[in-house]
Amino acid sequence: MKNIYLTMLLALLVQFTFAQNTLKGRITNQEDQTPLEQVSIYFPQLEKGTVTNADGFFEINNLPSGKFKIVISYIGFQTYSQTVELLEPSTQLSLELMSSAIEMEEVIVSTPFHKLQRENVMKVDRTSIKDLKSAGAINLSEGITAIPGVESVSTGVGIGKPVIRGLSSNRVLTYTQGIRLENQQFGDEHGLGISDAGIESVEVIKGPASLLYGSDALGGVLYLNPEKFANSNDVEGDINLNYFTNTEGLNGNGGFKASSEKLKFLVRFGGSSHVDYKTGNNERVTNSRFNEKDLKTGLAYQLTNFKTELRYNYNNSEMGIPEEIGEQSIERSAIEPFQDITSHILSSKSNIYFNNSSLQAILGFTRNDRKEFEDHEHGAEGNIEGEEHEEGEAPALDMKLETFSYNLQYNLAKIGAVETIIGLQGMNQNNSNFGEEVLIPDATTNDIGLLATSHIHLNKSDIQLGVRYDKRTIDSDENGLVGDQNYIEAVDRNFNSFNIAAGYKVDVSENFITRLNIASGFRAPNLAELTSNGAHEGTNRYEIGNADLNNERNVQTDLSLEFKNEHFEFYVNGFFNSISDYIYLEPNGTAIDGNAVYLYQQQDANLFGGEAGLHYHPHPLDWLHMESNFSTVTGQLKNDGNLPLIPANNWANTLRFEFSKINKDFNNGYGFLTLKSYFAQNKISDFETTTDGYSLLNLGFGATVTISNQPIDFKLSANNVLDKEYISHLSRLKSDGISNIGRNINLGISVPL
């Protein structure tokens, strides 16, 4: 037995004593062989990279032996992606990049094999936070609506949650720092709950992603990539400030990061404060104000064959719950009713690299403290007037949600043309109540899932296959006394699901790609759907759960066609999503304490639609971009009724200008003009009203200026330039006749240190 232990120890030590490898090379312009400076050279799997110097040279040290994907990218040039084999102490790689008017590609992190989008079998949309912010978005929830097929259910401007192809809440899973974000997302008035400060990019998987992420990914995944650590032996810092005229909003953050060859550190502080927003009718929506404080920090340690990192995010938000247009105020402190939400997100990611295989372990802990303070004062006719919150007053609703999650994945050595990943995922979650009211009871949820997925590379096509098994248990406590109106019975339920996914990508020609994906998904009913018995603040409804609900199960088929050359891009994506036992709310015609009673029901449903778009650079006017995209989705119950909260069809047209290509004095200069039109939404559920169509005009520009050798990025944008008065179909204030935000001008500066 002792000899066996000794053999295992020696085998483990061998993995960490591989020779350290170095990759060197030079990147030049294919047209004139001039060196290219600041070209990004990056190993996605190793999460390690560098940039070229003024002479185009680069060097990356302390690399493990084996075969790894490398991505070389630079603005204005085609992105290079290839597998390199590191066997010798020093490997040479020199390239000539071809110029291209099409934007450079990035690595998709939310899919298991970390490939460029054109290499993925599954279609994934990716957008940088910088691009979203340049469009003048107040927060992350608003910003992601620029992605075709993605919208947001909003409560004013402070509270929003993503909608992907008509599905939201617990049907869309949000990932941050590589772990699932759990923050009682079942509630319509419960927002995304994360700041865009310290987030580098957003990836959206549209459709069932249960194979990769388990329950709650039935409708898709919003994957938030945190900012990277600095390159080895580099120090960076920046300060970012924004002002929004409509809400007199102040938003700022500052960050610092430094890295040696082995140790890396980063920290970022941020915050924002907004008063009540103004509609296009120049009226402020009472208590739509919100404030936020945010801290993100990380520490990483990297050896040749081992890498580990620890990240932490603290976020506190105070958000008013608007219900009327009343007192016109520019106060920043919320009045009742309002939410005070504190989130702690702690994650650990470790990687061990063997010869052509690797092991990754991601552990996460999140704590969400949600407090809701109700209003106590009412007018003579029952209209809520709201009152200032008294210091020390106890919240009516006080819920604490603690979630421990784990994700272990082993990337097997590539066998011929086949890459394979096997994994084990799960979580333990506890919900506790400390307030005078109980909306959902104390409960424990446990998940465990096993998965395997393979990517098969053929000559001009790729196949991806996967299989997964999940089990979820929900055990809740009894609350109240039997016979009382607010009594909640104990629930002890088990849910199981077996899911598969298959995809096929074909390079029909050098410029034309088609993808076909078929995937099943599932979602276990959440605590609110099983056990609710109470009024939801701000929703004007009394919800009663159904302890006998079954799993939601779905099968979605996606077909995408994409054409791309140097100056023109075109795509069309179509989907059909069939959901069994879809869970939805339906009024029963009664009321409790003035709130309409809604019951949870189940029925089969179908959603179908898609997105189409084009991107054109008229040659030789490479500085001019013409972009257009159209999104549509229809949601129907089996009895021919319509699903609620289905986004209206919309069409966005943008003219974008790159001034730096006209005159180099306009460093990073850009401008845009966008007209986004929403069509009338007449396909509504039984308790919704129709919504008129409207169009919004947005514009903006920005550039980098140098003052006393200090570069400063500035941007100026204006949304809803014509101050249009409109109501979005996905606004929760629609039932009260309250319009969305009017004209909003954003001025922002960013100073690299």
Side-chain angles (χ1 to χ4, degrees):
M1 183 66 69
K2 185 181 296 184
N3 291 333
I4 294 176
Y5 288 144
L6 180 59
T7 301
M8 294 176 60
L9 178 60
L10 289 174
L12 182 61
L13 289 175
V14 167
Q15 305 294 340
F16 290 92
T17 56
F18 286 140
Q20 297 179 1
N21 299 293
T22 298
L23 180 68
K24 299 179 180 180
R26 189 175 190 232
I27 309 299
T28 55
N29 187 335
Q30 187 188 58
E31 293 181 359
D32 54 15
Q33 282 70 54
T34 56
L36 295 176
E37 185 180 5
Q38 293 297 305
V39 176
S40 170
I41 295 93
Y42 188 66
F43 286 94
Q45 187 179 349
L46 303 177
E47 298 184 36
K48 192 168 187 176
T50 188
V51 295
T52 56
N53 61 20
D55 297 318
F57 289 102
F58 70 91
E59 181 176 328
I60 307 177
N61 300 309
N62 298 324
L63 296 171
S65 297
K67 296 179 181 179
F68 301 97
K69 173 81 72 176
I70 189 171
V71 176
I72 299 177
S73 56
Y74 189 57
I75 295 177
F77 290 81
Q78 290 185 14
T79 299
Y80 174 86
S81 171
Q82 194 56 263
T83 298
V84 298
E85 187 170 13
L86 304 172
L87 293 177
E88 302 295 332
S90 181
T91 303
Q92 295 288 329
L93 178 65
S94 294
L95 291 173
E96 296 178 351
L97 295 185
M98 295 175 57
S99 61
S100 173
I102 302 296
E103 283 75 8
M104 66 181 187
E105 294 182 274
E106 300 285 351
V107 173
I108 302 299
V109 179
S110 56
T111 53
F113 298 100
H114 292 187
K115 300 182 181 297
L116 296 179
Q117 180 53 62
R118 71 169 183 262
E119 301 169 331
N120 267 333
V121 174
M122 181 188 300
K123 174 71 174 178
V124 179
D125 284 275
R126 182 193 182 279
T127 304
S128 71
I129 291 295
K130 182 179 180 180
D131 289 344
L132 296 182
K133 296 294 287 183
S134 68
I138 288 181
N139 53 34
L140 186 58
S141 297
E142 178 188 347
I144 61 175
T145 61
I147 301 172
V150 181
E151 294 295 333
S152 177
V153 175
S154 65
T155 306
V157 294
I159 303 174
K161 63 195 316 170
V163 179
I164 299 178
R165 288 177 168 175
L167 297 177
S168 60
S169 298
N170 279 78
R171 298 181 181 94
V172 172
L173 188 60
T174 300
Y175 254 61
T176 181
Q177 298 177 195
I179 64 174
R180 55 190 297 151
L181 178 63
E182 292 289 324
N183 61 356
Q184 306 283 16
Q185 59 265 37
F186 64 84
D188 284 348
E189 73 281 15
H190 299 174
L192 190 56
I194 191 167
S195 168
D196 56 31
I199 303 294
E200 183 175 278
S201 62
V202 178
E203 297 175 13
V204 179
I205 300 176
K206 302 172 187 175
S210 296
L211 175 72
L212 302 176
Y213 298 102
S215 180
D216 303 342
L218 175 143
V221 174
L222 184 70
Y223 198 98
L224 308 176
N225 292 310
E227 65 177 309
K228 295 185 179 73
F229 291 95
N231 289 327
S232 298
N233 302 313
D234 198 7
V235 176
E236 301 176 23
D238 59 82
I239 297 175
N240 307 278
L241 301 172
N242 284 275
Y243 176 71
F244 300 89
T245 58
N246 186 288
T247 61
E248 299 187 11
L250 302 171
N251 177 297
N253 67 81
F256 170 81
K257 50 187 176 181
S259 297
S260 65
E261 281 290 344
K262 296 181 179 179
L263 192 63
K264 304 174 185 292
F265 171 77
L266 63 79
V267 63
R268 183 168 298 277
F269 296 93
S272 62
S273 177
H274 297 260
V275 305
D276 297 343
Y277 77 86
K278 287 192 296 186
T279 68
N281 198 31
N282 206 34
E283 295 178 308
R284 292 199 181 273
V285 178
T286 307
N287 205 28
S288 59
R289 63 202 71 169
F290 65 97
N291 301 283
E292 182 179 49
K293 299 184 288 290
D294 190 78
L295 164 68
K296 292 184 176 74
T297 187
L299 184 67
Y301 184 71
Q302 188 164 16
L303 298 173
T304 303
N305 289 78
F306 175 73
K307 177 182 182 295
T308 186
E309 68 176 51
L310 185 70
R311 291 183 185 260
Y312 170 71
N313 179 200
Y314 165 85
N315 184 275
N316 174 258
S317 300
E318 180 191 76
M319 296 180 291
I321 301 178
E323 296 178 322
E324 64 174 358
I325 295 178
E327 178 185 356
Q328 299 296 286
S329 170
I330 55 172
E331 292 294 323
R332 296 182 182 271
S333 297
I335 58 176
E336 297 173 345
F338 73 93
Q339 302 175 348
D340 187 287
I341 304 167
T342 300
S343 294
H344 303 271
I345 305 172
L346 180 66
S347 64
S348 163
K349 181 170 69 173
S350 299
N351 296 75
I352 301 176
Y353 304 104
F354 310 114
N355 279 332
N356 300 321
S357 65
S358 62
L359 176 66
Q360 181 180 80
I362 301 178
L363 305 177
F365 175 79
T366 63
R367 173 167 171 162
N368 179 258
D369 296 346
R370 178 176 295 275
K371 299 178 180 179
E372 296 186 4
F373 297 85
E374 294 184 356
D375 45 331
H376 300 84
E377 206 171 290
H378 299 269
E381 297 179 6
N383 293 325
I384 298 171
E385 297 176 351
E387 63 178 16
E388 294 292 338
H389 173 67
E390 296 182 7
E391 192 68 30
E393 180 182 342
L397 194 68
D398 187 354
M399 298 188 293
K400 290 181 172 55
L401 186 69
E402 295 182 333
T403 306
F404 170 75
S405 60
Y406 56 91
N407 184 354
L408 306 177
Q409 291 190 356
Y410 182 61
N411 193 331
L412 282 69
K414 189 174 180 180
I415 302 175
V418 181
E419 296 178 81
T420 300
I421 290 176
I422 57 175
L424 173 68
Q425 297 176 349
M427 74 170 185
N428 171 264
Q429 185 175 86
N430 291 283
N431 183 73
S432 304
N433 289 275
F434 299 91
E436 61 186 58
E437 295 182 6
V438 174
L439 188 62
I440 57 174
D442 295 354
T444 298
T445 301
N446 284 293
D447 270 359
I448 187 168
L450 296 169
L451 70 96
T453 181
S454 293
H455 189 120
I456 305 169
H457 304 265
L458 304 176
N459 185 24
K460 290 188 177 181
S461 61
D462 293 83
I463 298 173
Q464 190 165 317
L465 303 170
V467 61
R468 179 180 179 123
Y469 174 77
D470 282 273
K471 181 178 181 180
R472 168 172 285 192
T473 63
I474 299 177
D475 184 9
S476 72
D477 295 343
E478 180 185 46
N479 186 76
L481 300 176
V482 177
D484 287 354
Q485 176 179 289
N486 299 113
Y487 172 73
I488 301 175
E489 65 178 352
V491 170
D492 185 4
R493 295 289 306 277
N494 292 291
F495 302 93
N496 303 279
S497 184
F498 181 80
N499 291 284
I500 59 174
Y504 183 54
K505 178 181 78 74
V506 182
D507 297 328
V508 180
S509 68
E510 183 180 353
N511 303 113
F512 184 53
I513 296 174
T514 182
R515 294 180 172 92
L516 175 65
N517 283 273
I518 301 174
S520 65
F522 87 105
R523 183 181 74 89
N526 60 49
L527 268 177
E529 294 163 338
L530 292 169
T531 65
S532 276
N533 191 6
H536 282 241
E537 188 66 45
T539 64
N540 301 318
R541 66 179 181 234
Y542 190 103
E543 296 182 7
I544 298 178
N546 181 349
D548 297 322
L549 294 173
N550 298 316
N551 269 345
E552 288 184 338
R553 303 173 307 282
N554 77 326
V555 176
Q556 179 167 309
T557 301
D558 290 84
L559 176 64
S560 69
L561 307 173
E562 302 167 40
F563 177 85
K564 177 179 179 180
N565 62 24
E566 185 178 358
H567 293 282
F568 182 77
E569 287 181 278
F570 173 80
Y571 70 87
V572 57
N573 305 319
F575 75 94
F576 186 87
N577 189 1
S578 177
I579 305 178
S580 301
D581 291 326
Y582 181 90
I583 301 171
Y584 63 100
L585 278 169
E586 185 174 72
N588 68 354
T590 65
I592 297 178
D593 298 331
N595 295 305
V597 174
Y598 282 74
L599 305 178
Y600 282 100
Q601 309 283 0
Q602 284 192 298
Q603 188 180 149
D604 294 348
N606 294 319
L607 293 100
F608 52 89
E611 306 86 37
L614 61 86
H615 184 181
Y616 178 51
H617 307 261
H619 185 72
L621 305 179
D622 290 343
W623 53 269
L624 176 62
H625 299 250
M626 293 183 285
E627 303 170 4
S628 180
N629 64 73
F630 176 78
S631 301
T632 180
V633 59
T634 299
Q636 297 176 336
L637 291 168
K638 188 176 181 180
N639 66 2
D640 293 328
N642 294 303
L643 296 180
L645 295 176
I646 297 298
N649 296 343
N650 63 84
W651 184 23
N653 293 279
T654 298
L655 287 177
R656 190 158 50 87
F657 317 97
E658 293 183 349
F659 298 132
S660 56
K661 290 187 177 181
I662 303 174
N663 189 327
K664 292 184 178 180
D665 291 336
F666 290 101
N667 188 15
N668 296 323
Y670 70 88
F672 68 87
L673 181 69
T674 298
L675 180 67
K676 189 165 187 178
S677 300
Y678 286 85
F679 295 77
Q681 179 57 291
N682 300 312
K683 298 177 181 179
I684 57 175
S685 69
D686 293 339
F687 57 92
E688 290 182 309
T689 57
T690 59
T691 305
D692 294 332
Y694 56 90
S695 295
L696 302 177
L697 181 66
N698 307 323
L699 59 84
F701 63 89
T704 300
V705 298
T706 302
I707 302 175
S708 300
N709 296 322
Q710 173 63 58
I712 300 175
D713 297 330
F714 81 92
K715 61 185 177 72
L716 181 68
S717 63
N719 288 342
N720 192 3
V721 175
L722 303 180
D723 210 17
K724 176 79 173 179
E725 185 176 11
Y726 71 98
I727 300 179
S728 166
H729 186 68
L730 298 186
S731 171
R732 289 187 54 257
L733 304 180
K734 179 174 179 284
S735 59
D736 297 315
I738 298 175
S739 299
N740 288 70
I741 189 170
R743 182 189 300 116
N744 188 26
I745 300 174
N746 167 224
L747 174 63
I749 62 171
S750 178
V751 183
L753 303 177

